[in-house]
Amino acid sequence: MSSLHQGSLLTKPRCKPFPDANPVSDCALSMLFTEECDKVRDLMHVHSFSYDFHLRVVHQYLVGSQMTLRQGYQLTDFLDDFIGHHPDIPKFGRNHVFQGSFSISTGMITAHQLYSYITDHASTYGMKPLRMSKAAVNADSKKGGTPDQHEYALVALWNSSGSYTDLEGLHHHDDFDVSLVVCHNAVPFEEQSDGERHLLRLQFYVIMTSQRELFPQLTADMRRFKKLTQIHRDPAELGGRIPPDRAEAGGSRAAERDLWEESASEVTAAPALRDGNEFYPLVGVAGGRAEAEGLLYPTPLFPLLNNEVASARRQIQASVEQAMGHCHRDNLWKRLFHGEHLDKLKLTKLSFSELEELLVAVQSRSVGEIDPQLDSFLTMSPGWYQSLIKVLLSRFPQSCRHFDDSGIQYLAVLNQKFTDCFVLVFLDAQAGKTSLKVVFREPLPLQPQASNSPPPQLVSMYHHLESVINTACYNLWTGLL
């Protein structure tokens, strides 16, 4: 009886709440309902909250303070998808993200080698490596052997604070956590042409998350994202230099402030910004999405983000240029030390000019600076230095690298235990110039004054120098006989 009663209720025709109202189709009712839901979402700032939330999760993952994302998560793919799914920026959000690119010619070094060097020495450049698991390996890549299952991005974190004025003339101050993520934007090395192999292409993301506010703004700042032209991959960037208009973040601070604090008439002239939608539409983008090839994220007007983007570009350029010098220096140093195994390592023997190039790029100290008692060796004649070179070649046959060019001689006596230094004997017989130095690949760490024991690097260097000085004393003794 109960089931029969329920069946009659289900089959009973629906009564109109307003019998005299005009008939409305179900499709129109559905559209009205959808529009009302959109308005509710806009009033609740759902999109702005989701936008801020995801950027905050990304920052916490980079800091290492959350475990929602697994280790090795493909963060750069997520950021690409996130920006692709947010072509319009929420009006009420407090966090910011920017995507940009940087390219520079690497000269004799391949771009792949340079980027690998930066990730291996990330701490030298104020960054840390972020390991990301690669996608599933296809069948073609498996034929060439076991590929690397991971790739690495570079991460830098810092704090920033600043003030700005909103549309109503109110002064605001906020503190931000800033995250910089840099990744190598290149196809596999085997698929690159010769020109591409010597052009480093980087893609970077700047993320700013508010330290003070966790929730979206109650009212929209209409000028926070004023409509500007889009960012394209500028051919000028391929040369590795930042265009002046970007390097200075849009000009001087005064010009930037004027642009940020324009009269409200320009804003009210754009009715599209006064609607109830929670997003700002983009200019020159069909359907609100980018269609031009190479189109990146819109240029941010927000002054604080502009400043951080300019700072990130400067940091990337300075780090890459510094790493290029370090990588070339280490390549020359490696070829000097692996003289007997160059064929196995597929390296060429170091030439005389390359040795002089290496000596310019490294640190050196005269033996008299290390120990004033050794000053007497610096005053010996060129003939004595010539005999010293012969004795050292006989005493350390496996550790010596001899370079001779038109009477100018260098003899490097390598330290096999501490490979970051060697003793160098220099002789220019025609000019009558000589020197005896200790050469360091990098400056030695400063010894704390409170410590009584020297660093291990210094101990190894002293032992190696002592063996060379003992040989020099032997040569001095035999010269007196």
Side-chain angles (χ1 to χ4, degrees), residues 384 387 472-481:
W384 183 85
S387 62
C473 291
Y474 168 81
N475 181 58
L476 185 63
W477 174 257
T478 55
L480 297 177
L481 297 178

Side-chain angles (χ1 to χ4, degrees), residues 170-402:
L170 299 178
H171 190 70
H172 296 274
H173 182 87
D174 203 351
D175 300 320
F176 291 91
D177 293 313
V178 185
S179 309
L180 172 63
V181 181
V182 184
C183 62
H184 191 197
N185 185 23
V187 297
F189 183 79
E190 295 77 11
E191 302 175 12
Q192 297 178 7
S193 63
D194 291 339
E196 291 176 336
R197 291 182 177 181
H198 294 272
L199 182 65
L200 179 64
R201 298 178 184 271
L202 300 177
Q203 189 150 304
F204 68 94
Y205 309 84
V206 179
I207 303 168
M208 294 181 65
T209 55
S210 174
Q211 294 180 350
R212 296 188 174 190
E213 303 292 344
L214 296 178
F215 301 104
Q217 302 177 23
L218 297 179
T219 57
D221 183 352
M222 292 302 181
R223 270 189 296 178
R224 176 184 171 199
F225 296 105
K226 183 176 180 290
K227 296 191 276 186
L228 295 177
T229 57
Q230 308 302 307
I231 297 179
H232 294 265
R233 288 190 175 92
D234 194 334
E237 286 187 347
L238 299 181
R241 296 294 178 182
I242 302 175
D245 56 335
R246 293 187 183 178
E248 299 300 330
S252 63
R253 293 181 179 270
E256 184 180 67
R257 191 180 302 108
D258 292 341
L259 184 61
W260 177 250
E261 298 175 356
E262 288 179 82
S263 60
S265 59
E266 293 189 15
V267 180
T268 56
L273 298 181
R274 289 296 188 183
D275 59 12
N277 197 327
E278 196 185 348
F279 295 103
Y280 289 97
L282 301 180
V283 174
V285 179
R289 290 190 177 274
E291 294 182 350
E293 183 179 357
L295 192 64
L296 300 179
Y297 217 43
T299 303
L301 177 67
F302 188 54
L304 304 184
L305 179 57
N306 256 341
N307 296 338
E308 300 308 324
V309 170
S311 176
R313 287 187 180 276
R314 289 192 296 268
Q315 179 178 354
I316 292 173
Q317 179 169 344
S319 299
V320 170
E321 291 178 348
Q322 187 180 14
M324 287 175 61
H326 291 169
C327 184
H328 183 56
R329 174 203 65 190
D330 288 358
N331 285 342
L332 297 177
W333 190 277
K334 182 178 180 181
R335 289 165 57 191
L336 176 67
F337 267 77
H338 294 83
E340 299 177 355
H341 310 285
L342 291 176
D343 294 337
K344 296 180 181 179
L345 299 175
K346 297 181 180 180
L347 300 174
T348 58
K349 185 177 180 181
L350 200 67
S351 65
F352 185 90
S353 59
E354 287 176 327
L355 175 66
E356 291 190 324
E357 184 181 354
L358 173 62
L359 296 177
V360 174
V362 296
Q363 306 288 325
S364 63
R365 295 176 61 184
S366 173
V367 293
E369 298 177 18
I370 297 176
D371 188 347
Q373 298 182 16
L374 303 178
D375 278 336
S376 58
F377 290 103
L378 303 178
T379 60
M380 302 303 293
S381 66
W384 183 85
Y385 268 86
Q386 182 65 62
S387 62
L388 175 63
I389 291 176
K390 294 180 180 179
V391 173
L392 288 173
L393 284 171
S394 175
R395 174 68 175 81
F396 305 100
Q398 303 299 325
S399 300
C400 285
R401 305 288 184 266
H402 188 215

Side-chain angles (χ1 to χ4, degrees), residues 10 56 76 167 242 355 402 408:
L10 294 174
R56 193 176 301 279
T76 55
L167 181 63
I242 302 175
L355 175 66
H402 188 215
I408 302 177

